[in-house]
Amino acid sequence: MAKDGRQHTKKCAAAALAVAALVAAAACGPAPFAFVLGALVCWACQRLATKKRGDLVPLSTPAASPAKGQAMPAAKPETQDEGAQPAAPASSSPADGAAVPDTEEAPAPAAPERDPHEELDDLVLRSSNVIASLADLVRHGDAPADLRALVERSGLLGWSGAPRVEAKMLQRSGHWWLYAADELPDADYDRMLAAELLLNLTDDLHYQASSVNGSAPADVAALDDRIARILGAVDGLDPFGAPDESTTFLAQGAEEGGEWAARLAIADFAESLPAPLRVAVSFQVNIADGLTVVDVEVPRPQVFVSVASDEAGRAAWSRSYAMRLCLALGRGAFGASGRIERVVVNGHEHGTRTPVISIDLTRSGLDRLRDELRALLVGELPQGLGIRWYATADGRLAPVDPIMTVWDDAVAPLSRWEGVEENHLPAPDAVAVATKSRAVSDLGINEKFVRIEAWNEAAGWLGASTRRAVAAFEARRQKATDRTVAEACERVSRALVDGDIDVFDRQSMALLFVEGGELATTVRDAALRINGKPGHTAEEVEDVLARLDAALEPASQTARYEDDTENVFRYFNSTAERVRYNLEADDNGRELQLVPDEYYAAHAQAAQLLVALGRHEEALAHAREDVRIAPYTTDAALTEVRCLEELSRVHEAVDVLELAIERASNVREMSICFYRLAFMEWKLGRGRTSVACYQRAMELHECVRDRAARELADVLAADKRLGKLSREEARETIVAEGIPYGDVEGLRTMMRDAAVACADAGLLSAARPLAGVLLEAGNDDALLDVYTSLVPTRP
């Protein structure tokens, strides 16, 4: 899973901030006030620089250490006496024109003391091979003492063929996350995690010690005891910080303790947990039944090579860590919603979903387990009902049967992901407000759904003979209220009677029933013939076109998908498009009917083939039919733009692109429209606007970034009067031309409101794609976890 990264809070930055505050205070107030303000800012910045992991304070002797998992007392900060006066300045600046007295030159300020730990942060962040860089640092004697000890214990200096990994500092947890470009075999993955662990332990040890006096005291406990205190407190860890701006935005409008809020809270807790190893989770929530299941990756014994010198000790720590991590996530799940009454946590090793530990928790049971664990030695785990784990002879955790899985029907019945197309119940109030839906079915986009449902109903009573199957389809046809279902029954019955299909070939029967019409078959064949092979002759293209025209003819003759006084016929490529259409379009109270995929696809294919043949006016007619039925589908607009471009009707193409930007339902489509608009503006001689549009396209999404950068470079090379613009200059240029800038924040808010309302209403088949649009608009680890939880996972 890709991870957000950030730099550490640096002491030097804190010091610079403090100096700036002192200067500002001196400029705006009397000296005593300025000093007090400056002293307070200095103290606050020192706390920011040292309080990265919370105040885990080492005690002077091991005997004074608290029980494992117990919260550590916070250190009382040492502050300057508020009555103290600032030292006199070394010199004063004379007034303009005044004589400058002879004075000795003030001594140069002392160079700031090196901070090896801060240098370590920079080294790790900038390294393209973290393990090799750590080895190099230790060999040259510049490593902090704790890091040196952990590296030497791990045997990292002697690793042969160690994986090449890089590092990110996670925003939410404040801990390191190491990653490789490619999937690693188990042994190398464990080495990567071993390096991740020793880096995070080094950080924790450093900030644990520096929270006493700002530097490591000489009488800290032995390294083993200090590490044990960190690892032994995992089950009691709290998030590294308060929910960030992204989480706060995503939570707005959610029902307290409801489906969306609970999923987001669990995700944010897991991503913010400052555990010394990565917390990689997936989960499922069923608020109605008060149930949550969490899967988490737990480390294998070899990961603890820097913590224990022998295999038995490493295995003991891996068992203890797995249990404590599961309990921590149980705490997070219960804290996510007061309606969650039961949490099952499964810990599995990397590369498999089979758990090696499975725990069934209630709120009171969780507290009892944590109390029991505190009294046990490292590696000893509680046993009893609701706890499944088994250790092999070498101490490793062995696979066990999960108490419940994330795909278990109890927590994730597939009925929760049923399509909305045939759900004609009134939309819940929050859904009606967020999506302007009168009925739940107003969120639907899949015209095939009615036939899918009819097939699923029919499949159970078809029997084992052609006669019985034909009779069943005939009975279903007679009671069908949907025209396409009646046609499907007739189509399959005829194929069975003619011997074109076997009654036991249910897969072929299903395909024929759901999308076996003449138009759908022609579109599939055209895609295979044209898109599947390069280099087509004009005769081949003409033949495909003739077949498409013939297949489209019945719909054209009957005006099957023409709007009338009672109905509008629309096609949507995504749920996000449907939501935006609902909110912005005015159908004058008419009923919206969904257009089949194959009708839209047939016109798109015809336009593509006619452009290839140079018959651009004919192509434009097909493209505009798609725009009519799919006014919020960006692909349709782009096809129209291509036809207009070939006809040199560039001003019209610009108008189409500007409207498409306003209607785009995701940032990727917005980016593509700006990319195409940049070229059109260049063709119209508007060089500066073209540059601004290229830059906006690159800013919005990576999908066109490389191509846009190359074309922008060509534009700048061809016209020396042009140059790159600042972000603000580009925005001003776009707005000045009357081009919509692309309201990303408005789009995010629209999709968030819809996703939240649908999730809380239990409409997960609609909530999932809307969450996906949010994720594309701004990559976020917690949102990715929420999105994953909205997918109907099955093994």
Side-chain angles (χ1 to χ4, degrees):
M1 178 167 55
K3 287 286 173 182
D4 297 334
R6 70 166 173 86
Q7 297 277 356
H8 274 298
T9 302
K10 301 296 183 185
K11 287 186 180 177
C12 58
L17 180 60
V19 171
L22 282 169
V23 173
C28 66
F33 173 77
F35 174 73
V36 172
L37 176 61
L40 288 173
V41 173
C42 283
W43 173 78
C45 293
Q46 173 69 8
R47 297 296 291 161
L48 281 174
T50 58
K51 190 181 176 187
K52 288 191 56 185
R53 306 291 181 260
D55 294 320
L56 290 178
V57 182
L59 304 181
S60 57
T61 63
S65 299
K68 292 176 182 177
Q70 197 170 4
M72 312 299 281
K76 182 179 179 180
E78 293 188 358
T79 59
Q80 224 171 341
D81 182 359
E82 293 187 5
Q85 297 296 315
S91 62
S92 299
S93 299
D96 289 343
V100 180
D102 293 332
T103 58
E104 287 188 20
E105 187 176 344
E113 186 178 348
R114 286 179 62 241
D115 184 343
H117 192 84
E118 201 164 284
E119 292 176 0
L120 172 63
D121 286 354
D122 291 338
L123 178 147
V124 172
L125 283 169
R126 297 167 185 171
S127 174
S128 60
N129 190 340
V130 171
I131 293 174
S133 294
L134 290 176
D136 181 64
L137 181 67
V138 170
R139 288 192 184 101
H140 285 77
D142 290 334
D146 288 336
L147 176 65
R148 173 182 294 278
L150 290 170
V151 168
E152 290 174 347
R153 286 179 174 203
S154 70
L156 181 149
L157 296 175
W159 285 357
S160 176
R164 189 181 187 90
V165 300
E166 297 180 60
K168 291 181 179 179
M169 176 60 69
L170 303 185
Q171 287 184 337
R172 282 188 168 90
S173 69
H175 267 187
W176 294 107
W177 176 288
L178 270 56
Y179 62 96
D182 301 310
E183 185 71 22
L184 297 175
D186 286 351
D188 282 346
Y189 184 84
D190 288 348
R191 284 183 170 186
M192 180 178 73
L193 259 60
E196 182 175 294
L197 175 61
L198 65 86
L199 275 174
N200 285 326
L201 284 176
T202 299
D203 264 11
D204 287 343
L205 291 166
H206 172 78
Y207 291 105
Q208 179 191 81
S210 63
S211 63
V212 176
N213 292 313
S215 60
D219 59 348
V220 295
L223 181 60
D224 283 339
D225 293 330
R226 294 161 60 210
I227 291 174
R229 292 173 61 193
I230 292 170
L231 296 178
V234 167
D235 60 302
L237 287 175
D238 288 321
F240 178 56
D244 62 12
E245 184 179 350
S246 175
T247 303
T248 302
F249 168 81
L250 293 170
Q252 290 178 17
E255 177 188 346
E256 184 177 357
E259 285 281 348
W260 181 270
R263 291 167 192 268
L264 182 60
I266 293 171
D268 188 62
F269 181 92
E271 297 293 345
S272 304
L273 200 67
L277 280 164
R278 63 189 56 198
V279 182
V281 300
S282 60
F283 57 86
Q284 195 51 258
V285 177
N286 187 338
I287 288 294
D289 293 331
L291 183 59
T292 295
V293 180
V294 181
D295 280 1
V296 62
E297 181 182 307
V298 297
R300 289 179 282 255
Q302 193 58 27
V303 172
F304 295 90
V305 66
S306 63
V307 177
S309 59
D310 61 325
E311 292 184 6
R314 296 167 197 159
W317 273 117
S318 72
R319 297 194 302 274
S320 176
Y321 189 89
M323 173 64 78
R324 291 183 182 279
L325 182 60
C326 289
L327 294 179
L329 292 170
R331 287 176 49 239
F334 283 124
S337 172
R339 288 185 261 175
I340 295 177
E341 301 171 351
R342 180 187 177 196
V343 177
V344 175
V345 186
N346 300 309
H348 61 88
E349 294 178 345
H350 179 71
T352 177
R353 297 298 296 272
T354 302
V356 293
I357 185 170
S358 187
I359 310 173
D360 194 347
L361 299 169
T362 61
R363 293 177 185 270
S364 59
L366 171 62
D367 293 336
R368 287 196 300 271
L369 272 179
R370 291 187 64 209
D371 290 340
E372 185 177 348
L373 190 58
R374 289 190 187 99
L376 298 175
L377 297 174
V378 173
E380 294 180 352
L381 305 186
Q383 300 187 44
L385 292 175
I387 304 174
R388 293 181 185 175
W389 64 272
Y390 171 74
T392 60
D394 59 1
R396 289 191 57 161
L397 289 172
V400 295
D401 291 330
I403 295 171
M404 186 180 295
T405 65
V406 292
W407 56 82
D408 193 284
D409 284 340
V411 69
L414 287 177
S415 59
R416 303 189 77 199
W417 282 272
E418 283 183 353
V420 298
E421 283 78 1
E422 290 298 294
N423 185 343
H424 300 294
L425 293 174
D429 290 345
V431 174
V433 171
T435 69
K436 209 173 177 181
S437 299
R438 292 167 295 179
V440 173
S441 57
D442 289 344
L443 291 167
I445 64 171
N446 187 2
E447 182 271 342
K448 295 182 176 69
F449 185 80
V450 63
R451 295 191 298 283
I452 294 172
E453 289 289 282
W455 167 260
N456 289 336
E457 177 189 341
W461 40 258
L462 292 179
S465 68
T466 299
R467 177 180 297 178
R468 180 171 174 179
V470 170
F473 280 121
E474 177 59 24
R476 185 67 182 84
R477 186 187 67 80
Q478 290 181 4
K479 74 170 188 177
T481 58
D482 181 87
R483 173 186 53 79
T484 68
V485 171
E487 290 175 352
C489 291
E490 186 176 350
R491 181 166 60 241
V492 177
S493 294
R494 186 167 56 249
L496 286 168
V497 171
D498 293 345
D500 295 334
I501 197 168
D502 189 271
V503 71
F504 295 105
D505 187 357
R506 297 299 169 88
Q507 185 172 353
S508 296
M509 288 173 66
L511 179 64
L512 184 62
F513 189 94
V514 174
E515 48 185 344
E518 181 62 28
L519 183 56
T521 302
T522 302
V523 166
R524 282 198 305 273
D525 291 346
L528 289 173
R529 291 183 62 182
I530 300 300
N531 300 333
K533 299 181 294 183
H536 306 286
T537 65
E539 290 76 12
E540 289 176 319
V541 174
E542 293 280 7
D543 179 61
V544 173
L545 269 173
R547 291 193 61 198
L548 285 170
D549 285 340
L552 283 167
E553 185 65 21
S556 299
Q557 287 183 344
T558 59
R560 179 176 292 180
Y561 304 116
E562 292 288 337
D563 297 348
D564 54 37
T565 57
E566 296 182 356
N567 300 285
V568 293
F569 293 85
R570 296 292 179 263
Y571 171 85
F572 301 100
N573 203 31
S574 68
T575 303
E577 284 181 14
R578 180 69 195 261
V579 167
R580 184 149 206 167
Y581 180 89
N582 288 354
L583 291 169
E584 297 177 353
D586 183 7
D587 291 332
N588 296 316
R590 292 174 291 178
E591 195 72 23
L592 190 147
Q593 307 293 338
L594 294 173
V595 174
D597 293 350
E598 53 266 26
Y599 184 78
Y600 173 89
H603 282 291
Q605 287 177 337
Q608 172 191 353
L609 296 175
L610 287 165
V611 166
L613 292 173
R615 292 155 58 180
H616 302 125
E617 287 286 0
E618 295 175 68
L620 182 60
H622 284 282
R624 285 186 165 166
E625 173 62 5
D626 269 355
V627 170
R628 183 188 69 80
I629 63 171
Y632 279 72
T633 299
T634 302
D635 286 347
L638 292 173
T639 301
E640 183 182 9
V641 167
R642 174 71 187 281
C643 297
L644 291 169
E645 180 187 0
E646 294 293 344
L647 291 167
S648 296
R649 292 157 64 174
V650 180
H651 285 92
E652 291 181 61
V654 168
D655 292 341
V656 171
L657 286 167
E658 289 179 357
L659 182 59
I661 290 170
E662 289 186 326
R663 291 178 169 179
S665 59
N666 60 64
V667 292
R668 178 181 55 81
E669 292 173 353
M670 238 182 242
S671 174
I672 294 170
C673 289
F674 269 106
Y675 168 69
R676 293 290 286 131
L677 183 58
F679 182 67
M680 298 302 159
E681 294 290 345
W682 177 81
K683 293 191 78 167
L684 292 174
R686 303 168 183 165
R688 183 179 176 88
T689 307
S690 174
V691 171
C693 289
Y694 274 125
Q695 291 186 194
R696 181 62 171 154
M698 291 187 285
E699 176 189 0
L700 283 169
H701 200 273
E702 63 184 2
C703 64
V704 296
R705 197 165 291 158
D706 291 342
R707 284 177 291 171
R710 288 194 297 269
E711 291 181 23
L712 175 58
D714 291 340
V715 168
L716 296 177
D719 190 343
K720 299 302 181 183
R721 297 169 299 174
L722 299 176
K724 289 187 178 180
L725 305 173
S726 69
R727 184 174 181 178
E728 184 59 25
E729 288 172 336
R731 190 192 69 80
E732 289 175 354
T733 300
I734 290 170
V735 172
E737 289 293 329
I739 299 170
Y741 190 63
D743 186 4
V744 174
E745 285 310 304
L747 175 64
R748 289 182 70 222
T749 300
M750 179 190 295
M751 296 306 160
R752 177 207 61 198
D753 292 348
V756 167
C758 289
D760 284 341
L763 305 174
L764 302 190
S765 63
R768 179 185 60 81
L770 294 169
V773 172
L774 275 175
L775 189 60
E776 189 173 46
N779 189 28
D780 180 273
D781 293 333
L783 179 57
L784 177 59
D785 293 339
V786 172
Y787 172 77
T788 303
S789 78
L790 293 169
V791 176
T793 306
R794 286 295 183 270

Short mmCIF file of all heavy atoms in Angstrom, two decimals, residues 265-303:
data_model
loop_
_atom_site.label_atom_id
_atom_site.label_comp_id
_atom_site.label_asym_id
_atom_site.label_seq_id
_atom_site.Cartn_x
_atom_site.Cartn_y
_atom_site.Cartn_z
N ALA A 265 -12.88 5.99 11.48
CA ALA A 265 -12.20 6.02 12.78
C ALA A 265 -11.26 4.83 12.94
O ALA A 265 -10.14 4.98 13.45
CB ALA A 265 -13.23 6.05 13.91
N ILE A 266 -11.69 3.65 12.52
CA ILE A 266 -10.81 2.47 12.60
C ILE A 266 -9.59 2.67 11.71
O ILE A 266 -8.45 2.39 12.11
CB ILE A 266 -11.57 1.19 12.19
CG1 ILE A 266 -12.66 0.88 13.22
CG2 ILE A 266 -10.63 0.01 12.04
CD1 ILE A 266 -13.60 -0.23 12.79
N ALA A 267 -9.82 3.17 10.50
CA ALA A 267 -8.72 3.39 9.57
C ALA A 267 -7.74 4.42 10.11
O ALA A 267 -6.52 4.23 10.07
CB ALA A 267 -9.26 3.83 8.22
N ASP A 268 -8.27 5.53 10.62
CA ASP A 268 -7.40 6.59 11.15
C ASP A 268 -6.62 6.10 12.36
O ASP A 268 -5.44 6.43 12.54
CB ASP A 268 -8.23 7.82 11.49
CG ASP A 268 -7.37 9.01 11.86
OD1 ASP A 268 -6.59 9.47 10.99
OD2 ASP A 268 -7.45 9.49 13.01
N PHE A 269 -7.26 5.32 13.21
CA PHE A 269 -6.58 4.77 14.39
C PHE A 269 -5.41 3.88 13.95
O PHE A 269 -4.28 4.01 14.45
CB PHE A 269 -7.56 3.96 15.24
CG PHE A 269 -6.96 3.38 16.49
CD1 PHE A 269 -6.99 4.07 17.68
CD2 PHE A 269 -6.34 2.13 16.47
CE1 PHE A 269 -6.43 3.54 18.85
CE2 PHE A 269 -5.78 1.59 17.61
CZ PHE A 269 -5.81 2.30 18.81
N ALA A 270 -5.67 2.98 13.01
CA ALA A 270 -4.61 2.07 12.56
C ALA A 270 -3.47 2.82 11.89
O ALA A 270 -2.29 2.53 12.15
CB ALA A 270 -5.20 1.04 11.59
N GLU A 271 -3.80 3.80 11.04
CA GLU A 271 -2.75 4.54 10.34
C GLU A 271 -1.99 5.48 11.27
O GLU A 271 -0.85 5.84 10.98
CB GLU A 271 -3.36 5.34 9.18
CG GLU A 271 -4.01 4.50 8.10
CD GLU A 271 -3.02 3.65 7.33
OE1 GLU A 271 -1.81 3.92 7.42
OE2 GLU A 271 -3.46 2.71 6.64
N SER A 272 -2.61 5.90 12.38
CA SER A 272 -1.98 6.85 13.30
C SER A 272 -1.28 6.16 14.46
O SER A 272 -0.67 6.84 15.29
CB SER A 272 -3.03 7.82 13.85
OG SER A 272 -3.70 8.49 12.81
N LEU A 273 -1.38 4.85 14.55
CA LEU A 273 -0.81 4.13 15.69
C LEU A 273 0.72 4.14 15.60
O LEU A 273 1.28 3.61 14.63
CB LEU A 273 -1.34 2.69 15.71
CG LEU A 273 -1.25 1.94 17.04
CD1 LEU A 273 -2.19 2.58 18.07
CD2 LEU A 273 -1.60 0.47 16.85
N PRO A 274 1.42 4.71 16.57
CA PRO A 274 2.89 4.79 16.49
C PRO A 274 3.57 3.50 16.93
O PRO A 274 4.45 3.50 17.80
CB PRO A 274 3.21 5.96 17.42
CG PRO A 274 2.14 5.92 18.45
CD PRO A 274 0.89 5.44 17.75
N ALA A 275 3.16 2.40 16.32
CA ALA A 275 3.79 1.11 16.62
C ALA A 275 5.16 1.06 15.96
O ALA A 275 5.39 1.71 14.92
CB ALA A 275 2.92 -0.03 16.11
N PRO A 276 6.10 0.31 16.51
CA PRO A 276 7.45 0.28 15.94
C PRO A 276 7.55 -0.47 14.62
O PRO A 276 8.61 -0.49 14.00
CB PRO A 276 8.29 -0.39 17.03
CG PRO A 276 7.32 -1.14 17.87
CD PRO A 276 6.03 -0.39 17.81
N LEU A 277 6.48 -1.10 14.18
CA LEU A 277 6.42 -1.73 12.87
C LEU A 277 5.13 -1.29 12.17
O LEU A 277 4.16 -0.89 12.82
CB LEU A 277 6.44 -3.26 12.99
CG LEU A 277 7.81 -3.90 13.23
CD1 LEU A 277 7.65 -5.32 13.72
CD2 LEU A 277 8.66 -3.85 11.98
N ARG A 278 5.13 -1.37 10.87
CA ARG A 278 3.98 -0.96 10.08
C ARG A 278 2.70 -1.63 10.55
O ARG A 278 2.70 -2.77 11.04
CB ARG A 278 4.21 -1.31 8.62
CG ARG A 278 4.35 -2.82 8.35
CD ARG A 278 4.79 -3.10 6.94
NE ARG A 278 6.04 -2.39 6.64
CZ ARG A 278 6.48 -2.16 5.41
NH1 ARG A 278 5.79 -2.58 4.38
NH2 ARG A 278 7.62 -1.52 5.21
N VAL A 279 1.60 -0.91 10.42
CA VAL A 279 0.29 -1.45 10.76
C VAL A 279 -0.50 -1.53 9.46
O VAL A 279 -1.05 -0.54 8.98
CB VAL A 279 -0.43 -0.56 11.78
CG1 VAL A 279 -1.78 -1.18 12.15
CG2 VAL A 279 0.42 -0.38 13.03
N ALA A 280 -0.51 -2.71 8.85
CA ALA A 280 -1.19 -2.94 7.57
C ALA A 280 -2.47 -3.71 7.84
O ALA A 280 -2.42 -4.89 8.18
CB ALA A 280 -0.28 -3.70 6.62
N VAL A 281 -3.60 -3.03 7.69
CA VAL A 281 -4.87 -3.62 8.08
C VAL A 281 -5.85 -3.66 6.92
O VAL A 281 -5.74 -2.92 5.95
CB VAL A 281 -5.52 -2.85 9.25
CG1 VAL A 281 -4.65 -2.85 10.48
CG2 VAL A 281 -5.89 -1.44 8.83
N SER A 282 -6.81 -4.55 7.04
CA SER A 282 -8.06 -4.50 6.28
C SER A 282 -9.15 -4.87 7.28
O SER A 282 -8.89 -5.56 8.27
CB SER A 282 -8.04 -5.47 5.09
OG SER A 282 -7.86 -6.80 5.53
N PHE A 283 -10.35 -4.41 7.03
CA PHE A 283 -11.40 -4.65 8.03
C PHE A 283 -12.76 -4.61 7.37
O PHE A 283 -12.92 -4.14 6.24
CB PHE A 283 -11.32 -3.63 9.17
CG PHE A 283 -11.40 -2.20 8.73
CD1 PHE A 283 -12.63 -1.57 8.54
CD2 PHE A 283 -10.24 -1.47 8.49
CE1 PHE A 283 -12.71 -0.26 8.13
CE2 PHE A 283 -10.31 -0.15 8.07
CZ PHE A 283 -11.55 0.46 7.88
N GLN A 284 -13.73 -5.09 8.11
CA GLN A 284 -15.13 -5.03 7.68
C GLN A 284 -15.97 -4.66 8.88
O GLN A 284 -15.69 -5.10 10.01
CB GLN A 284 -15.56 -6.37 7.08
CG GLN A 284 -16.85 -6.31 6.31
CD GLN A 284 -16.85 -5.20 5.27
OE1 GLN A 284 -17.45 -4.16 5.47
NE2 GLN A 284 -16.16 -5.42 4.15
N VAL A 285 -16.99 -3.87 8.64
CA VAL A 285 -17.83 -3.35 9.72
C VAL A 285 -19.29 -3.62 9.39
O VAL A 285 -19.71 -3.44 8.25
CB VAL A 285 -17.61 -1.83 9.90
CG1 VAL A 285 -18.54 -1.27 10.99
CG2 VAL A 285 -16.15 -1.53 10.24
N ASN A 286 -20.05 -4.02 10.39
CA ASN A 286 -21.50 -4.18 10.26
C ASN A 286 -22.13 -3.54 11.50
O ASN A 286 -22.32 -4.19 12.53
CB ASN A 286 -21.88 -5.66 10.16
CG ASN A 286 -23.35 -5.86 9.86
OD1 ASN A 286 -24.17 -4.99 10.12
ND2 ASN A 286 -23.70 -7.03 9.34
N ILE A 287 -22.40 -2.25 11.38
CA ILE A 287 -22.89 -1.50 12.54
C ILE A 287 -24.25 -2.02 13.00
O ILE A 287 -24.53 -2.09 14.20
CB ILE A 287 -22.98 0.00 12.20
CG1 ILE A 287 -21.57 0.59 12.10
CG2 ILE A 287 -23.79 0.76 13.23
CD1 ILE A 287 -20.81 0.61 13.40
N ALA A 288 -25.09 -2.43 12.07
CA ALA A 288 -26.43 -2.89 12.43
C ALA A 288 -26.36 -4.07 13.40
O ALA A 288 -27.19 -4.18 14.31
CB ALA A 288 -27.21 -3.28 11.18
N ASP A 289 -25.37 -4.93 13.23
CA ASP A 289 -25.22 -6.09 14.10
C ASP A 289 -24.12 -5.90 15.14
O ASP A 289 -23.75 -6.86 15.84
CB ASP A 289 -24.93 -7.34 13.27
CG ASP A 289 -26.13 -7.74 12.41
OD1 ASP A 289 -27.26 -7.45 12.82
OD2 ASP A 289 -25.92 -8.31 11.32
N GLY A 290 -23.55 -4.69 15.22
CA GLY A 290 -22.53 -4.40 16.24
C GLY A 290 -21.26 -5.21 16.09
O GLY A 290 -20.63 -5.56 17.09
N LEU A 291 -20.86 -5.48 14.85
CA LEU A 291 -19.77 -6.44 14.61
C LEU A 291 -18.70 -5.82 13.72
O LEU A 291 -18.99 -5.12 12.76
CB LEU A 291 -20.36 -7.67 13.93
CG LEU A 291 -19.44 -8.85 13.63
CD1 LEU A 291 -18.80 -9.39 14.91
CD2 LEU A 291 -20.24 -9.96 12.95
N THR A 292 -17.44 -6.10 14.07
CA THR A 292 -16.30 -5.67 13.27
C THR A 292 -15.27 -6.79 13.23
O THR A 292 -15.03 -7.46 14.24
CB THR A 292 -15.64 -4.40 13.86
OG1 THR A 292 -16.56 -3.32 13.78
CG2 THR A 292 -14.37 -4.03 13.11
N VAL A 293 -14.67 -6.99 12.05
CA VAL A 293 -13.57 -7.93 11.90
C VAL A 293 -12.38 -7.18 11.31
O VAL A 293 -12.52 -6.44 10.33
CB VAL A 293 -13.94 -9.12 10.98
CG1 VAL A 293 -12.76 -10.08 10.85
CG2 VAL A 293 -15.15 -9.87 11.54
N VAL A 294 -11.22 -7.33 11.94
CA VAL A 294 -10.00 -6.65 11.50
C VAL A 294 -8.94 -7.70 11.19
O VAL A 294 -8.70 -8.61 11.98
CB VAL A 294 -9.47 -5.70 12.59
CG1 VAL A 294 -8.21 -4.97 12.11
CG2 VAL A 294 -10.54 -4.70 13.01
N ASP A 295 -8.32 -7.57 10.03
CA ASP A 295 -7.16 -8.39 9.67
C ASP A 295 -5.93 -7.49 9.72
O ASP A 295 -5.95 -6.37 9.20
CB ASP A 295 -7.29 -8.95 8.25
CG ASP A 295 -8.19 -10.18 8.20
OD1 ASP A 295 -8.72 -10.57 9.25
OD2 ASP A 295 -8.37 -10.73 7.09
N VAL A 296 -4.85 -7.98 10.32
CA VAL A 296 -3.63 -7.19 10.40
C VAL A 296 -2.42 -8.10 10.16
O VAL A 296 -2.42 -9.27 10.55
CB VAL A 296 -3.50 -6.49 11.77
CG1 VAL A 296 -3.44 -7.50 12.91
CG2 VAL A 296 -2.30 -5.55 11.79
N GLU A 297 -1.44 -7.56 9.49
CA GLU A 297 -0.20 -8.29 9.26
C GLU A 297 0.65 -8.27 10.54
O GLU A 297 0.86 -7.21 11.13
CB GLU A 297 0.58 -7.65 8.12
CG GLU A 297 1.87 -8.36 7.77
CD GLU A 297 2.63 -7.66 6.67
OE1 GLU A 297 2.03 -7.42 5.60
OE2 GLU A 297 3.83 -7.35 6.87
N VAL A 298 1.12 -9.44 10.95
CA VAL A 298 2.00 -9.53 12.13
C VAL A 298 3.37 -10.04 11.69
O VAL A 298 3.47 -10.82 10.74
CB VAL A 298 1.39 -10.44 13.22
CG1 VAL A 298 0.08 -9.87 13.73
CG2 VAL A 298 1.17 -11.86 12.70
N PRO A 299 4.43 -9.61 12.36
CA PRO A 299 5.79 -9.94 11.90
C PRO A 299 6.21 -11.35 12.28
O PRO A 299 5.82 -11.88 13.32
CB PRO A 299 6.66 -8.90 12.61
CG PRO A 299 5.90 -8.56 13.85
CD PRO A 299 4.45 -8.66 13.49
N ARG A 300 7.05 -11.93 11.43
CA ARG A 300 7.67 -13.22 11.73
C ARG A 300 8.85 -13.03 12.68
O ARG A 300 9.36 -11.91 12.83
CB ARG A 300 8.11 -13.90 10.44
CG ARG A 300 6.96 -14.40 9.58
CD ARG A 300 7.45 -15.06 8.29
NE ARG A 300 7.84 -14.08 7.30
CZ ARG A 300 7.12 -13.77 6.21
NH1 ARG A 300 5.95 -14.36 6.01
NH2 ARG A 300 7.55 -12.89 5.34
N PRO A 301 9.32 -14.10 13.34
CA PRO A 301 10.39 -13.96 14.34
C PRO A 301 11.64 -13.28 13.83
O PRO A 301 12.28 -12.50 14.56
CB PRO A 301 10.67 -15.42 14.74
CG PRO A 301 9.37 -16.12 14.52
CD PRO A 301 8.78 -15.49 13.31
N GLN A 302 12.03 -13.51 12.57
CA GLN A 302 13.29 -12.96 12.08
C GLN A 302 13.31 -11.44 12.07
O GLN A 302 14.38 -10.83 12.08
CB GLN A 302 13.58 -13.50 10.66
CG GLN A 302 14.99 -13.26 10.15
CD GLN A 302 16.05 -13.87 11.06
OE1 GLN A 302 15.79 -14.85 11.76
NE2 GLN A 302 17.24 -13.28 11.06
N VAL A 303 12.14 -10.83 12.09
CA VAL A 303 12.07 -9.37 12.12
C VAL A 303 12.68 -8.82 13.41
O VAL A 303 13.20 -7.70 13.43
CB VAL A 303 10.60 -8.92 11.96
CG1 VAL A 303 10.45 -7.43 12.19
CG2 VAL A 303 10.07 -9.32 10.60
#
